[in-house]
Amino acid sequence: MKIGIFADTHVGRCIPRAIGELRRTAFRHAFTEAINIFIEEGIGCLIHAGDVFEKRSMTPKDSVFVKEELQRLVDSIHNEHEKDMMMFAVRGNHDGAPESNALDYIKHPLARYLKVIGDGILQGKKEVQVHRGICIVGVAHHPYIFRKFQDIKPVLKEILATNESEMKLLVIHNFIQGYHQIPPGVPQHSFLTVEDFDDLDVDMVIAGHYHTKKDPADENGLTLLTPGATEAIDLSDEGPFGVYILEEKKSIRFIPIKPVHEIRNIRITSQEAVKPVRWFIDKASEEVNSYASSLQARGIGGVLRLILLGLTDGDPHRLEQPLMSEFDRIKEKSPNLLHVELVNRIENVHQPVILPTLGGGAEFAAEILKPLGNSTQEAMRIVEEVGITLDEKASQKTGLLTGSDRRPFVTRWVDLLEETEDQG
């Protein structure tokens, strides 16, 4: 039996907003291409390792689209041996919280082929699926997975040790230190380590959440596998994007997905030299014109992310308006150039920008909350929960929470500060 594996499809994502519908189309295209690959391969089992949707910006049409694509995969099966095909998906952080899971939108009483797994385990339940000799156990996303995993590990051990399937798979949606490169600013409580799986009787850990495809890695008889995303989550991601096909325990193939639009990142830098603003404008215009000509010659659409780096003795912000006007002129002449995203990191040599040494938002928050003393940990927990709630409930227009969603956090902050003040 062939098993199709993918993750982080983020159907409904529309970032950056300037080309929101273009990006929404790109994620749908990638999902369709993944299903096409699975149909061509004739898989008998499908595993999605989380973030099927972008819940914050998805629409009802997105959920209908995914349901229809999954049904198309089922309807494509003509081999009687594969008629019992099953699909398994874990909840990712962008699929919502357990009580408001976007994966509930694609469940259907008649769609018995689809099982959403992983939240039962987080509650300590013995949740396990067995399909044609394959044992599949899921662990949904959890913001404090390091601690939570230790809590549920006895249940996982019991499930896996007592199951006699010929292959045992664990599907998660969190980072794994020692296999993934942990992004700056991700707190230690938000990821697992390779060593966390040492004493589990499992053949393979399939991990979503990490958007870059990783080659299979063997650790003490355990195979770690990360398919990455099916489309660039951010314009800085250049792939490759695709899916894995698993046959037997050791036969693992990556099949790339050709994106509907090309994404290119180009850097223009003055190195250590100090250049006038005009130099950056001319270089940027030259690069954009060259890329637009390349797209026209190849007959494809493309999105360009242009990063400007270096030093100038002028005002680096004065180049943005002339450049954006020039980009608009180039796009009018070359419609295959769909969008230019300008990232201006030029520094004024007289006023160098002092970048913070902290790794990211979490470290910065921890630093400024240090004066709270013993209450710092609770304050950080509030910060984490605000972030999660913003991802799920923030307004599409303002990016802010409504008053009713914001009020519980305000109350907790006031109580925390009053308690800290009382403690001296």
Side-chain angles (χ1 to χ4, degrees):
M1 179 179 68
K2 293 182 181 181
I3 301 175
I5 299 171
F6 64 159
D8 295 283
T9 48
H10 289 266
V11 174
R13 186 171 174 86
C14 53
I15 295 173
R17 296 295 168 83
I19 48 171
E21 287 309 307
L22 193 73
R23 299 301 293 140
R24 190 186 295 275
T25 298
F27 285 101
R28 286 192 182 189
H29 168 85
F31 196 94
T32 293
E33 287 299 297
I35 297 299
N36 289 342
I37 291 171
F38 296 142
I39 290 174
E40 185 174 340
E41 289 288 326
I43 66 170
C45 178
L46 178 65
I47 293 175
H48 195 296
D51 281 352
V52 173
F53 293 108
E54 186 83 11
K55 187 173 186 293
R56 180 176 170 182
S57 56
M58 67 179 291
T59 66
K61 288 183 179 179
D62 292 319
S63 61
V64 171
F65 163 78
V66 170
K67 279 193 291 189
E68 290 178 346
E69 286 296 284
L70 296 180
Q71 186 64 53
R72 182 167 69 90
L73 174 57
V74 173
D75 293 342
S76 73
I77 298 173
H78 301 295
N79 185 338
E80 287 300 321
H81 187 57
E82 305 292 354
K83 282 293 186 182
D84 61 344
M85 190 188 74
M86 292 293 296
M87 304 176 182
F88 304 96
V90 299
R91 176 184 55 80
N93 54 309
H94 285 270
D95 289 319
E99 61 275 8
S100 57
N101 188 353
L103 300 185
D104 291 339
Y105 301 149
I106 57 175
K107 288 181 181 178
H108 190 278
L110 298 180
R112 296 188 180 92
Y113 52 79
L114 175 64
K115 300 290 184 184
V116 177
I117 61 175
D119 277 310
I121 287 288
L122 292 178
Q123 299 168 15
K125 298 176 182 177
K126 296 179 181 179
E127 183 185 71
V128 61
Q129 301 289 333
V130 177
H131 178 56
R132 290 173 55 182
I134 309 294
C135 168
I136 302 172
V137 178
V139 178
H141 177 80
H142 196 284
Y144 295 89
I145 191 61
F146 182 78
R147 170 182 53 79
K148 190 64 178 179
F149 198 76
Q150 306 313 312
D151 293 341
I152 65 175
K153 202 166 184 179
V155 178
L156 286 171
K157 279 186 176 181
E158 183 180 351
I159 290 173
L160 294 167
T162 56
N163 190 282
E164 298 181 355
S165 298
E166 54 194 68
M167 184 188 293
K168 300 176 186 179
L169 308 178
L170 178 62
V171 187
I172 69 171
H173 191 85
N174 277 98
F175 298 135
I176 305 173
Q177 188 178 52
Y179 177 49
H180 298 144
Q181 183 177 348
I182 307 301
V186 175
Q188 189 170 0
H189 60 70
S190 292
F191 56 81
L192 297 169
T193 68
V194 170
E195 291 75 20
D196 287 319
F197 309 107
D198 280 350
D199 50 354
L200 291 177
D201 182 16
V202 63
D203 297 299
M204 179 180 293
V205 175
I206 299 169
H209 196 45
Y210 194 74
H211 296 153
T212 303
K213 168 250 183 186
K214 293 283 290 181
D215 292 331
D218 290 324
E219 297 285 344
N220 300 322
L222 169 70
T223 300
L224 299 170
L225 188 67
T226 293
T230 53
E231 165 66 35
I233 304 303
D234 297 303
L235 297 185
S236 57
D237 304 333
E238 292 189 302
F241 307 107
V243 305
Y244 271 115
I245 301 294
L246 172 63
E247 295 181 78
E248 306 300 333
K249 289 188 178 180
K250 295 299 180 182
S251 175
I252 305 170
R253 291 181 289 120
F254 180 78
I255 302 178
I257 290 174
K258 185 178 180 179
V260 65
H261 303 124
E262 181 180 87
I263 294 177
R264 178 75 60 84
N265 282 259
I266 295 178
R267 289 169 175 79
I268 296 174
T269 177
S270 69
Q271 303 294 343
E272 297 299 318
V274 179
K275 298 290 185 180
V277 168
R278 187 74 241 175
W279 182 88
F280 289 99
I281 293 176
D282 291 343
K283 286 289 185 181
S285 298
E286 181 182 329
E287 288 287 358
V288 175
N289 269 305
S290 175
Y291 183 59
S293 297
S294 170
L295 292 173
Q296 292 292 105
R298 289 178 289 151
I300 63 172
V303 174
L304 175 62
R305 181 172 176 264
L306 189 67
I307 307 103
L308 304 182
L309 302 159
L311 303 172
T312 183
D313 54 3
D315 182 353
H317 300 293
R318 292 186 63 183
L319 59 75
E320 294 178 6
Q321 188 56 50
L323 271 182
M324 295 310 296
S325 297
E326 175 66 7
F327 296 162
D328 288 340
R329 186 188 66 79
I330 296 172
K331 284 190 292 182
E332 285 183 11
K333 290 171 54 181
S334 307
N336 288 47
L337 179 61
L338 304 171
H339 177 69
V340 180
E341 188 86 352
L342 179 64
V343 182
N344 184 1
R345 294 177 181 163
I346 302 171
E347 298 177 18
N348 184 294
V349 70
H350 302 303
Q351 299 176 343
V353 176
I354 307 300
L355 298 176
T357 57
L358 300 172
E363 282 84 352
F364 184 74
E367 185 68 23
I368 64 174
L369 293 173
K370 273 185 179 179
L372 294 178
N374 294 334
S375 300
T376 301
Q377 187 172 0
E378 175 60 23
M380 283 298 295
R381 187 173 292 113
I382 296 174
V383 170
E384 288 285 334
E385 291 177 16
V386 168
I388 293 169
T389 307
L390 279 169
D391 277 342
E392 185 177 344
K393 298 182 177 180
S395 165
Q396 288 283 320
K397 292 183 178 179
T398 66
L400 302 176
L401 296 176
T402 63
S404 58
D405 288 327
R406 192 166 56 240
R407 193 172 300 113
F409 294 113
V410 174
T411 301
R412 287 172 64 185
W413 271 118
V414 171
D415 291 345
L416 180 67
L417 293 173
E418 291 178 346
E419 180 181 342
T420 304
E421 185 178 6
D422 291 342
Q423 292 173 355

